[in-house]
Amino acid sequence: MNAFVVSLDAFHFIRPWWLLLVPIIGVVWWRVRRADRARDVPTDGIAPHLRAALTVGAASRRKLKAIDGAAVTLTLLAIGAAGPTWSRVPDPFVAQSAPVVIALKVTASMEDSDVAPTRLERGKQKIRDLLKLRAGARTALVAYAGTAHIVVPMTEDPSVMNPYLEGLTPEVMPVEGDRAADALRLARDLLAQEESPGGVLFVADALDPADVAALNESPTPLTVLSMLPEGVNDRGVDRLSAPVVPVTPDDADIRRIDRTLNAAYRQAMLENVELPWEDRGYWLAWPAALLILIWFRRGWTMRWAAVAALAIGLAGPGPARADGLADWFLTPDQQGWLAFRDRDFGLAAERFVDPLWRGYALYRAGKYEEAIVVLDRLETADAAFIQGMAFIKSRSYREGVRAFEKTLRRDPDYPHAAENLEVSREIVDYVERVREQSDTGEEQGIGADEIVFDNESNRGVETQMEASQDQGGGLMTTEQWMNTVDTRTGDFLRQRFAIEAAHTKTQEATQ
């Protein structure tokens, strides 16, 4: 099922009683037109050519009349006032895309250069393009060869995934092979933890025929981005019943994948009765306005129709939207919502006046510190929750704990506040334990690109280490020493995947 079929199935009218005006308009139009045709000149005793010459306006009866334009205009306005709709009003606090798990095949065959620069590197580029297109949506990454591993769990921040994506090479995979079914199993486990339905995207050059049955029987929607060059086929991919999208030089493949994976999500959103229907009637105001302009022509003036059109227009949906003349028709908050809907969060933050919306737009734009300042003036649970997320994103974990506690004080039943509070407390405790262990010199075997300590409880002490003469002498703080550790993402993934594979093998042997 594609997005068009989903929208067509959901089409209805919010205020259907306005449609009762349509047959009334039709009856008035028919009576006016019939009366005009009835005024015929008698033909008895008059030659046809003389009759045609003596009849005034006979030819014009077959042309468009003012009543025709009025009837079409009033019909459009009546339909618009009825509120045609085929979608729900999107929830501003929820990403408007389905959660997706990307399963990347990382094998030696993906190193072939028949798709420049290589199949694997092109696949990584396509994944980055998809992350950019799905800005703010929840996405996870799974890598598979002979075994499957979760590289990055569900996240809304694509910057978290990029370094791990870069480190994926066939050398980091502990076992050679092509186990797409195992990757699908991991992907389904990740999607089972999400509140809304999602999909799986396989980025691969081939599929083992033994895995095709599992993929075809999967209830989870899935799509395959084929990394094979044009004209090259794979019997496993050819037997797949799921959509297969060939890789393209432009972003046409990525956009097609996004539409396919979002179809099930849109269907679930349509079934969410907590969201109101989005009124689409304003689109009909534009053709109606153009037809009204014709009434200024001589002979087309119909004041009664203008009054009726104005009455229907006032009773129908809000003012039409006009890009380029937005200041004439839209408030700043309406302009901000349009930018927010188009995922231009920076522009939305500039347009919004409402502090809650402006703070949330700043948060989605990655300007966490600014979002915290803007939201600080509000005393609502929504503002405190967004502040908590902004604190966590900016690594101020203890402040995040306080923000989520404030959210629960304002609204004890606020969705996900309790879960986020628990996770934030675990992060603070972990950071402080790492600080204590680093002070005692314990080996942890944990490498990181950057460590930010939030040690408000003063657990541990400030540690300094003597630098060698080659480093210019003097003392280094603990943070400076940690920054000298060079750990590549690929090395980290190789070790983690090997441990996971050994653990899985041990479990299978004991069963």
Side-chain angles (χ1 to χ4, degrees):
M1 179 179 293
N2 56 37
F4 175 76
V5 175
V6 171
S7 299
L8 185 62
D9 184 61
F11 180 82
H12 68 283
F13 292 94
I14 301 174
R15 299 173 293 274
W17 54 85
W18 280 100
L19 296 177
L20 296 175
L21 292 177
V22 174
I24 297 175
I25 295 170
V27 170
V28 173
W29 171 82
W30 178 75
R31 289 181 62 88
V32 173
R33 267 296 198 174
R34 183 167 176 262
D36 186 56
R37 287 194 298 268
R39 293 193 298 266
D40 290 333
V41 178
T43 59
D44 297 340
I46 303 177
H49 64 283
L50 292 177
R51 176 181 177 276
L54 294 174
T55 302
V56 178
S60 63
R61 295 176 188 174
R62 294 186 296 271
K63 298 180 180 178
L64 290 176
K65 291 286 190 176
I67 187 60
D68 300 330
V72 173
T73 302
L74 294 176
T75 300
L76 290 174
L77 291 175
I79 296 175
T85 182
W86 53 87
S87 63
R88 297 275 186 179
V89 174
D91 187 345
F93 296 102
V94 178
Q96 302 308 307
S97 297
V100 170
V101 178
I102 302 174
L104 176 62
K105 182 179 178 181
V106 187
T107 61
S109 65
M110 290 286 285
E111 295 279 86
D112 290 350
S113 58
D114 49 4
V115 176
T118 65
R119 298 177 183 178
L120 182 60
E121 289 303 317
R122 176 63 69 84
K124 293 178 181 179
Q125 293 173 6
K126 292 297 181 179
I127 293 174
R128 295 189 191 97
D129 292 341
L130 182 63
L131 292 174
K132 184 177 180 181
L133 178 64
R134 291 166 37 84
R138 292 179 62 77
T139 311
L141 178 63
V142 170
Y144 76 94
T147 55
H149 306 272
I150 298 175
V151 181
V152 179
M154 283 291 180
T155 178
E156 298 175 359
D157 188 357
S159 62
V160 174
M161 192 175 297
N162 288 330
Y164 293 97
L165 190 64
E166 189 65 30
L168 287 175
T169 61
E171 290 76 21
V172 308
M173 305 305 294
V175 181
E176 295 182 359
D178 184 1
R179 302 290 293 273
D182 291 350
L184 178 62
R185 192 177 305 111
L186 282 181
R188 292 184 60 186
D189 291 342
L190 289 170
L191 290 173
Q193 304 172 21
E194 298 298 302
E195 294 183 352
S196 56
V200 182
L201 170 64
F202 278 89
V203 181
D205 57 352
L207 293 174
D208 191 319
D211 293 328
V212 172
L215 270 61
N216 286 338
E217 296 172 1
S218 172
T220 303
L222 61 89
T223 305
V224 175
L225 175 60
S226 174
M227 303 309 300
L228 292 174
E230 186 177 0
V232 179
N233 297 324
D234 172 72
R235 66 189 185 114
V237 174
D238 292 341
R239 292 172 54 191
L240 198 65
S241 60
V244 178
V245 180
V247 64
T248 62
D250 55 12
D251 62 348
D253 49 357
I254 296 302
R255 295 190 177 278
R256 179 181 171 187
I257 289 171
D258 185 56
R259 290 192 300 268
T260 303
L261 293 175
N262 278 335
Y265 174 79
R266 292 192 181 97
Q267 181 65 43
M269 292 300 100
L270 291 175
E271 297 172 358
N272 187 354
V273 295
E274 296 181 358
L275 297 176
W277 290 101
E278 185 174 9
D279 194 336
R280 303 279 186 165
Y282 63 86
W283 288 109
L284 297 175
W286 289 108
L290 294 176
L291 288 171
I292 290 175
L293 293 178
I294 303 177
W295 293 351
F296 290 93
R297 292 185 57 193
R298 183 178 180 181
W300 282 70
T301 303
M302 299 183 66
R303 296 180 181 178
W304 63 270
V307 173
L310 180 60
I312 294 177
L314 292 176
R321 303 173 183 177
D323 296 334
L325 298 176
D327 293 336
W328 291 14
F329 299 97
L330 303 177
T331 66
D333 284 336
Q334 289 173 328
Q335 296 178 44
W337 165 244
L338 290 178
F340 190 94
R341 184 193 62 183
D342 295 336
R343 299 180 180 179
D344 190 348
F345 302 119
L347 179 60
E350 295 178 4
R351 295 286 188 266
F352 276 126
V353 174
D354 184 277
L356 179 63
W357 278 100
R358 184 153 58 97
Y360 188 54
L362 288 168
Y363 167 76
R364 295 292 296 272
K367 301 177 181 179
Y368 306 123
E369 291 79 7
E370 296 181 35
I372 293 169
V373 173
V374 171
L375 294 168
D376 200 45
R377 68 176 64 212
L378 298 175
E379 297 182 359
T380 64
D382 289 332
F385 184 82
I386 300 172
Q387 275 188 316
M389 296 300 300
F391 278 124
I392 296 299
K393 292 285 189 178
S394 60
R395 301 183 181 182
S396 300
Y397 303 120
R398 189 173 293 278
E399 294 297 331
V401 170
R402 293 194 181 103
F404 290 128
E405 290 175 343
K406 187 186 302 182
T407 304
L408 291 174
R409 285 198 302 270
R410 294 173 177 175
D411 183 359
D413 298 324
Y414 196 91
H416 304 299
E419 294 90 334
N420 286 359
L421 175 60
E422 182 180 355
V423 173
S424 302
R425 285 172 174 169
E426 292 177 356
I427 293 175
V428 171
D429 184 67
Y430 170 78
V431 169
E432 292 177 346
R433 280 191 287 106
V434 170
R435 180 60 180 269
E436 284 183 333
Q437 294 165 355
S438 67
D439 292 339
T440 59
E442 295 182 17
E443 295 289 341
Q444 296 300 312
I446 299 177
D449 297 328
E450 182 180 0
I451 292 183
V452 178
F453 291 109
D454 178 6
N455 193 29
E456 188 174 299
S457 299
N458 293 321
R459 294 167 63 173
V461 296
E462 291 292 335
T463 303
Q464 291 184 334
M465 301 184 62
E466 293 187 5
S468 63
Q469 296 297 325
D470 295 337
Q471 294 172 323
L475 299 176
M476 288 196 303
T477 65
T478 301
E479 183 177 354
Q480 291 172 333
W481 177 75
M482 290 296 296
N483 287 335
T484 63
V485 179
D486 183 16
T487 302
R488 294 186 302 171
T489 307
D491 296 334
F492 168 72
L493 292 176
R494 181 187 298 110
Q495 295 174 8
R496 182 160 71 85
F497 291 171
I499 294 172
E500 292 175 352
H503 180 67
T504 302
K505 187 175 182 180
T506 302
Q507 285 184 327
E508 293 175 350
T510 57
Q511 291 178 353

